[in-house]
């Protein structure tokens, strides 16, 4: 039963380090497969945080969620490199993170980053309140990109983001 700061939450404190791994090799391989399925979407090099419907977003995205967040993509590539040839990256029989897998995913990701950075100062139509306006893309400050169009997110939401 959670106690102290965790009372009423789903977190459970444990008395010390576990003596056995909390997940089987096949469970780790399955999670790794889900992770890698969100990299290099449709060969674009983009990374998607959540495929398909995202109920918490209240029907925000016709056709499902298909956005690349710049920071999430960079952190995912860092994680992929850390998994390369590690025990967590290779246990189980499927979705192993080998140097060839990392090279393929990273090469595609670099292509995606070059694409979005190459749109810097291009003309771009997006909503500002209820009105569609045209402005120049500042690709250094646009963190959310539509994977299917390869352009920044067009709807209202804290543009320009500069919090990191």
């Amino acid at each position: 039963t959670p106690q102290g700061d965790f009372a009423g939450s789903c977190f459970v404190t444990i008395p010390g380090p576990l003596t056995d791994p909390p997940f089987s090799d096949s469970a780790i391989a399955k999670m790794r497969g889900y992770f890698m399925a969100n990299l290099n979407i449709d060969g674009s090099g983009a990374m998607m945080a959540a495929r398909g419907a995202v109920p918490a977003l209240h029907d925000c995205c016709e056709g499902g969620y298909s956005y690349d967040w710049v920071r999430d993509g960079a952190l995912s590539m860092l994680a992929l490199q850390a998994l390369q040839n590690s025990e967590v990256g290779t246990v189980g029989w499927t979705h192993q993170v080998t140097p060839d897998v990392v090279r393929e995913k990273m090469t595609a990701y670099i292509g995606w980053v070059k694409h979005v950075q190459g749109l810097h100062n291009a003309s771009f139509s997006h909503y500002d309140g209820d009105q569609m306006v045209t402005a120049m893309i500042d690709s250094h400050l646009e963190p959310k990109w539509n994977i299917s169009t390869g352009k920044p997110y067009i709807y209202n939401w804290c543009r320009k983001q500069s919090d990191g």
Side-chain angles (χ1 to χ4, degrees):
T1 304
Q3 300 171 11
D5 291 340
F6 298 115
S9 78
C10 61
F11 295 99
V12 177
T13 57
I14 58 175
L18 298 174
T19 56
D20 295 315
F23 301 105
S24 68
D25 289 356
S26 62
I28 292 170
K30 187 174 187 176
M31 288 185 276
R32 199 174 48 233
Y34 291 143
F35 169 66
M36 292 204 307
N38 287 341
L39 305 178
N40 193 19
I41 302 300
D42 298 328
S44 67
M47 186 287 305
M48 186 181 307
R51 286 183 171 267
V54 182
L57 297 179
H58 306 289
D59 300 322
C60 82
C61 318
E62 190 173 320
Y65 192 89
S66 61
Y67 301 99
D68 174 278
W69 287 84
V70 173
R71 180 174 35 201
D72 293 355
L75 292 171
S76 294
M77 290 297 114
L78 181 64
L80 184 69
Q81 290 178 33
L83 286 172
Q84 179 177 273
N85 292 328
S86 71
E87 185 177 358
V88 173
T90 56
V91 298
W93 294 100
T94 59
H95 312 294
Q96 295 191 348
V97 183
T98 64
D100 288 340
V101 167
V102 172
R103 187 176 306 106
E104 172 205 338
K105 303 278 188 192
M106 187 59 75
T107 299
Y109 173 71
I110 290 168
W112 172 259
V113 171
K114 284 181 178 180
H115 163 75
V116 299
Q117 292 296 307
L119 293 176
H120 189 68
N121 287 331
S123 179
F124 168 62
S125 296
H126 65 87
Y127 286 96
D128 186 1
D130 292 336
Q131 294 188 354
M132 182 67 81
V133 298
T134 301
M136 306 304 270
I137 296 172
D138 186 340
S139 59
H140 303 110
L141 294 178
E142 287 289 346
K144 184 176 182 181
W145 294 78
N146 184 316
I147 295 170
S148 60
T149 66
K151 295 183 179 176
Y153 184 68
I154 67 169
Y155 297 103
N156 294 311
W157 74 286
C158 305
R159 180 172 272 114
K160 299 177 179 179
Q161 184 172 356
S162 60
D163 66 350

